[in-house]
């Protein structure tokens, strides 16, 4: 059976209202993302510009065959550079381990040790299911008050805004990427994600999994002070 082909409204009045509605929807979608850029604008820079903080937080960005995707690897490279430069003492890797066969934090840890970061200076958060969860858990579970956040440029403004809303004095390192299809997809995805992020910053819900406090960051800092 042939399905009917949708037709545009014929009257100019209806067409004008349709265009106006689409324009309004686009503006509404841009408002949260614009607010986040304004909120975090002076708190985002490069590895060289990042202030010294005890902790770096690296957000997960997917695995391929159990290994970090190129985007995640670039985030980890930047975190390793921060560590080698003496700007951070501990790296908190936060990602998804909601199923046995998918373990972002352990893959991130393995990559970082391969880049020369000592295993005892890496702390894993296995319930960083999204950016808000990662920020809240960094604060409430791991006791992080100040941190350098590491992510791609299209995501870092959202990460900084969310972590600040969660109570962390955050500075973001935006990792440069070439403008390929993945980059443009990430930028477009941010428009959709920014709406939820604005609600998270406003309502401050508990993460999907909170759990008891952990001493991993405190112990790693103490080990580094010996």
């Amino acid at each position: 059976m042939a399905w009917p082909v949708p037709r545009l409204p014929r009257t100019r009045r209806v067409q004008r209202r349709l265009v106006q509605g689409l324009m309004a929807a686009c503006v509404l979608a841009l408002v949260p993302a614009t607010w986040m850029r304004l909120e975090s604008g002076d708190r985002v820079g490069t590895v060289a510009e990042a202030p010294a903080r005890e902790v770096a937080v690296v957000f997960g960005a997917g695995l391929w065959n159990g290994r970090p995707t190129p985007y995640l690897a670039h985030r980890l490279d930047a975190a390793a550079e921060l560590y080698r430069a003496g700007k951070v003492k501990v790296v908190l890797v936060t990602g998804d381990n909601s199923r046995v066969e998918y373990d972002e934090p352990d893959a991130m840890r393995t990559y970082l040790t391969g880049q020369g970061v000592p295993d005892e200076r890496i702390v894993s958060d296995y319930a960083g299911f999204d950016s808000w969860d990662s920020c809240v858990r960094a604060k409430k579970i791991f006791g992080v008050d100040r941190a350098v956040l590491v992510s791609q440029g299209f995501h870092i403004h959202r990460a900084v805004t969310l972590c600040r809303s969660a109570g962390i004095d955050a500075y973001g390192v935006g990792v440069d990427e070439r403008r390929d299809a993945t980059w443009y997809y990430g930028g477009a995805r941010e428009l959709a994600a920014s709406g939820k992020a604005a609600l998270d910053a406003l309502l401050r819900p508990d993460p999907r999994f909170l759990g008891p406090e952990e001493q991993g960051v405190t112990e790693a800092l103490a080990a580094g002070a010996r």
Side-chain angles (χ1 to χ4, degrees):
M1 185 177 82
W3 293 97
V5 178
R7 297 177 181 273
L8 291 174
R10 293 184 179 182
T11 66
R12 290 186 177 182
R13 182 179 179 182
V14 176
Q15 289 176 350
R16 183 166 60 250
R17 287 184 176 177
L18 179 61
V19 171
Q20 290 171 344
L22 290 173
M23 292 177 64
C26 290
V27 170
L28 289 174
L30 288 170
V31 167
T34 302
W35 167 66
M36 289 178 191
R37 282 192 168 269
L38 293 174
E39 182 74 11
S40 61
D42 61 345
R43 289 173 172 265
V44 172
T46 64
V47 169
E49 295 167 338
R53 300 279 171 88
E54 289 186 326
V55 181
V57 178
V58 186
F59 297 83
L63 303 177
W64 283 351
N65 298 320
R67 299 172 61 85
T69 62
Y71 270 36
L72 180 51
H74 297 163
R75 297 180 187 187
L76 296 166
D77 289 338
E81 188 176 348
L82 285 167
Y83 178 82
R84 289 193 295 267
K87 293 197 170 187
V88 301
K89 299 175 182 178
V90 172
V91 181
L92 174 61
V93 292
T94 174
D96 187 352
N97 181 215
S98 58
R99 54 193 191 277
V100 175
E101 70 276 9
Y102 190 85
D103 189 342
E104 278 188 307
D106 277 356
M108 295 162 77
R109 175 186 290 271
T110 299
Y111 187 95
L112 282 172
T113 56
Q115 296 298 309
V117 181
D119 186 73
E120 64 271 17
R121 299 297 185 88
I122 305 168
V123 179
S124 299
D125 174 13
Y126 295 96
F129 300 127
D130 62 20
S131 298
W132 174 249
D133 284 13
S134 293
C135 290
V136 174
R137 286 178 54 79
K139 174 68 176 180
K140 292 186 176 182
I141 302 302
F142 295 94
V144 176
D145 295 315
R146 304 172 74 239
V148 177
L149 314 181
V150 184
S151 188
Q152 267 70 30
F154 54 72
H155 171 249
I156 196 63
H157 293 276
R158 176 160 62 96
V160 169
T161 301
L162 288 175
C163 279
R164 292 187 67 199
S165 295
I168 298 174
D169 180 4
Y171 184 93
V173 169
V175 179
D176 286 334
E177 298 286 352
R178 65 188 183 91
R179 302 303 194 256
D180 57 7
T182 304
W183 188 92
Y184 285 108
Y185 168 78
R189 182 177 178 274
E190 278 302 302
L191 292 179
S194 61
K196 176 188 179 299
L199 288 176
D200 287 337
L202 177 65
L203 301 176
R204 300 184 182 184
D206 284 335
R208 195 184 319 175
F209 179 80
L210 195 57
E213 294 182 8
E214 298 186 19
Q215 300 302 313
V217 170
T218 302
E219 292 172 356
L221 289 171
R226 292 172 192 162

